[in-house]
Amino acid sequence: MGTPTDMSSCLDAAGVTPDGAAWLASAGTYPRTTLALWEEQPGAPVVLPCGSVFDVVNAPSMFGSRILDRLWDEGPGSGPVAVFRGRMLLFAAPGTAQRLPSLLGWEEFGRTEHIPPLLCHGNGDAVTVPAPGGAPESAPAGARWLVAPDTRHPWLPGPEILLWAAVRAARAAVRISIFPPADQDAKVYDVSRRR
């Protein structure tokens, strides 16, 4: 396979369209510079600010995939989603990072060790997004788009939708019993052979 000569052929391979790349780049201070970088180096991840174009909800990969399953199987779907350094980045509507933590607290989310905390990146934060043109050999393992941006105006879930998905994912991850846990030091007798 030859070397791509324009950005559109580079981006289509990863699922990120030129419109999706333009949307991502619009989050930065200098979008044309970001697009020029991607044109020269389509495998370059970029740090982009959150808060104006999108917020990001950052979850451990396993729990993030449960949230993503709920969004797609039982809900409205998701916006763009990336995996980077063992974390899942769920792109959300601006303002989500400010509102979601209080909603999660109201739901008493994360009371147990089985439910990991969600990191919310909003105004004043920045995240590293995977390369739109495919992951180069130098990229961290697993850095990729799961749901690639493909339009200049993607639908982004808000805090209520992400709360709904996170709570359902947490309930599925934790089995609640009305019986107290068994005493670990109790003697257990095999009564199956009794007559």
Side-chain angles (χ1 to χ4, degrees):
M1 183 170 178
T3 307
T5 57
D6 70 342
M7 190 169 167
S8 62
S9 62
C10 294
L11 298 177
D12 290 340
V16 178
T17 65
D19 282 345
W23 172 75
L24 283 170
S26 72
T29 307
Y30 304 104
R32 285 187 276 178
T33 303
T34 302
L35 289 172
L37 170 71
W38 281 335
E39 198 168 313
E40 284 182 29
Q41 301 174 13
V46 173
V47 176
L48 293 174
C50 300
S52 62
V53 175
F54 55 77
D55 282 0
V56 172
V57 176
N58 182 334
S61 288
M62 183 68 76
F63 191 68
S65 65
R66 289 183 184 144
I67 292 173
L68 193 58
D69 287 346
R70 294 297 177 273
L71 287 169
W72 282 103
D73 293 346
E74 302 168 16
S78 72
V81 179
V83 174
F84 191 78
R85 295 186 188 229
R87 306 282 299 183
M88 188 169 290
L89 308 175
L90 298 128
F91 286 70
T96 298
Q98 182 180 3
R99 181 92 172 103
L100 185 59
S102 61
L103 291 174
L104 291 169
W106 183 74
E107 285 286 335
E108 298 182 6
F109 186 84
R111 285 189 319 187
T112 71
E113 67 276 359
H114 303 291
I115 303 171
L118 300 176
L119 305 175
C120 297
H121 305 288
N123 198 18
D125 297 325
V127 295
T128 302
V129 299
E137 293 75 32
S138 61
R144 68 189 187 284
W145 288 100
L146 295 178
V147 179
D150 60 358
T151 179
R152 286 185 188 264
H153 304 286
W155 178 81
L156 299 171
E160 294 83 8
I161 291 171
L162 288 168
L163 170 71
W164 169 86
V167 167
R168 279 172 178 69
R171 287 182 185 155
V174 177
R175 300 211 183 258
I176 298 174
S177 173
I178 60 171
F179 300 106
D183 182 3
Q184 297 300 321
D185 295 327
K187 294 188 189 288
V188 179
Y189 301 96
D190 182 7
V191 293
S192 62
R193 296 180 190 243
R194 292 182 120 186
R195 292 186 183 188

